[in-house]
Amino acid sequence: MVIDYALLGKRLASIRKKRGWTQERLAEKTNLANNYISNIENNRSIPSLETLVKLCEALEVTPNDLLLGSSQASDTYLADELTKKLRQCTPREKRILDGLLSLLISERDR
């Protein structure tokens, strides 16, 4: 597989901007320099695997999101995996999980 680093940089910038983050904020979250973030986004630097992981962790995306732009596929995959696991649960376990999810969502929305 050939990695298109120009496209990776565009995806990085797009995801960062969707979160309303500046390059400075992403740099702070990843412990990287502002100008290095800029260089990645503008295809002047190629990020190492370690840097790619830091960026993904900070932005809460998968490497596929940055490398392949496949966030919808990863969302679908996760939903499918959760559905498979949910089917294996007992009714009691499903009620517990429903309560936990409701709690998580209400905490997030505060």
Side-chain angles (χ1 to χ4, degrees):
M1 171 175 75
V2 176
I3 297 172
D4 184 337
Y5 290 103
L7 200 48
L8 181 147
K10 288 179 184 178
R11 288 184 188 119
L12 175 62
S14 174
I15 293 167
R16 174 182 58 76
K17 289 174 184 176
K18 282 180 186 174
R19 282 166 176 62
W21 291 7
T22 62
Q23 288 177 343
E24 182 177 89
R25 182 166 181 195
L26 181 56
E28 289 171 3
K29 295 251 183 207
T30 57
N31 204 27
L32 299 169
N34 290 9
N35 64 340
Y36 185 51
I37 300 292
S38 175
N39 287 342
I40 294 170
E41 289 183 357
N42 292 295
N43 196 29
R44 290 189 297 264
S45 293
I46 296 173
S48 68
L49 184 56
E50 181 181 352
T51 297
L52 185 64
V53 169
K54 285 181 181 182
L55 292 167
C56 289
E57 286 176 350
L59 294 167
E60 297 179 348
V61 297
T62 67
N64 280 352
D65 296 330
L66 289 179
L67 295 170
L68 305 173
S70 61
S71 63
Q72 288 182 342
S74 65
D75 288 347
T76 302
Y77 171 77
L78 183 56
D80 291 344
E81 287 300 305
L82 289 171
T83 301
K84 287 178 191 175
K85 290 175 183 175
L86 190 58
R87 285 186 184 130
Q88 297 172 355
C89 292
T90 66
R92 180 178 180 273
E93 292 167 336
K94 288 176 183 176
R95 284 191 300 276
I96 292 169
L97 289 171
D98 182 50
L100 287 171
L101 287 172
S102 294
L103 180 63
L104 286 171
I105 292 168
S106 67
E107 287 292 317
R108 179 198 66 205
D109 292 343
R110 282 188 184 183

